[in-house]
Amino acid sequence: MAKDTSQLLKTGVWLLVTGLASIALIETVFGGIHRHGPHTDAGWLFLMVAMSCVPLGVLLLLLGGAKWLGRRNG
């Protein structure tokens, strides 16, 4: 596996793990997310982290996977 492909996959995994951990912390420690959002300021901060890390992590995983499949088939 090329260095750039492995870097994309590693970064994507870490961003996804960070986002999912943020969601878990919001739901368990900071009172959850209800109709008007989280109950605490820290909950709002973790929500912003989750909303940026999860989509970016998924996109990086897709890009890394496509690069890996492209090099594997080509």
Side-chain angles (χ1 to χ4, degrees), residues 15 18-20 22-23 26 33 38 43-57:
L15 281 171
T18 302
L20 294 176
S22 295
I23 292 170
I26 291 169
I33 301 173
W44 280 103
L45 179 66
F46 277 93
L47 180 63
M48 289 188 296
V49 169
M51 288 178 66
S52 61
C53 287
V54 171
L56 185 58

Side-chain angles (χ1 to χ4, degrees), residues 9-23:
L9 290 172
K10 286 179 190 176
T11 305
V13 166
W14 279 112
L15 281 171
L16 197 59
V17 166
T18 302
L20 294 176
S22 295
I23 292 170

